[in-house]
Amino acid sequence: MLEKFAKSFESVCEFGAVLNFIIFGGAGAYLGYRTNMILAIVLLIIGILIAFLLNVLTFGFIAQIIEIRKSLHSIDYMLSEAKFDTDIAEIKNTVSKIEEKIAK
């Protein structure tokens, strides 16, 4: 289930990245073309850089949130499955046996 979600999330991220490049690059080129051709190229590059930064920040942030939630879920699961009372009792018994052997 998680792999299917990861693949669908990846396809959404790819679509969003392409859309951001088209929108910001096109907007930069259009604004520059209306005034000056050199400015069009500069604004196109700036638009693509802005789209790249937005993609990295947005999708990287979302991916980190998902990874943190997955890690927290696994930690909660391990803590719920741990038998601390049994482990502590076994440690106390072992320590008692060692103390008895040392006392003899």
Side-chain angles (χ1 to χ4, degrees):
M1 178 72 180
L2 191 60
E3 290 178 15
K4 185 178 180 181
F5 174 72
K7 287 182 181 181
S8 63
F9 179 71
E10 183 179 348
S11 64
V12 168
C13 287
E14 288 175 3
F15 176 74
V18 170
L19 192 64
N20 278 343
F21 281 125
I22 290 171
I23 290 172
F24 283 103
Y30 177 75
L31 290 175
Y33 181 73
R34 300 224 2 144
T35 58
N36 187 352
M37 190 55 103
I38 294 175
L39 187 60
I41 295 171
V42 171
L43 288 178
L44 175 65
I45 293 170
I46 290 172
I48 290 174
L49 288 175
I50 289 172
F52 178 74
L53 290 174
L54 282 176
N55 291 335
V56 169
L57 291 176
T58 303
F59 303 128
F61 184 67
I62 292 171
Q64 287 300 319
I65 289 174
I66 291 171
E67 188 66 30
I68 289 170
R69 284 187 179 178
K70 189 170 63 171
S71 297
L72 288 177
H73 176 70
S74 64
I75 290 171
D76 288 340
Y77 176 76
M78 288 189 306
L79 287 176
S80 68
E81 292 295 315
K83 298 176 177 73
F84 291 115
D85 296 335
T86 309
D87 293 340
I88 291 173
E90 289 177 9
I91 291 170
K92 285 181 180 179
N93 288 336
T94 305
V95 169
S96 299
K97 289 178 185 177
I98 291 172
E99 287 176 346
E100 289 174 5
K101 287 182 180 180
I102 292 174
K104 291 182 181 180

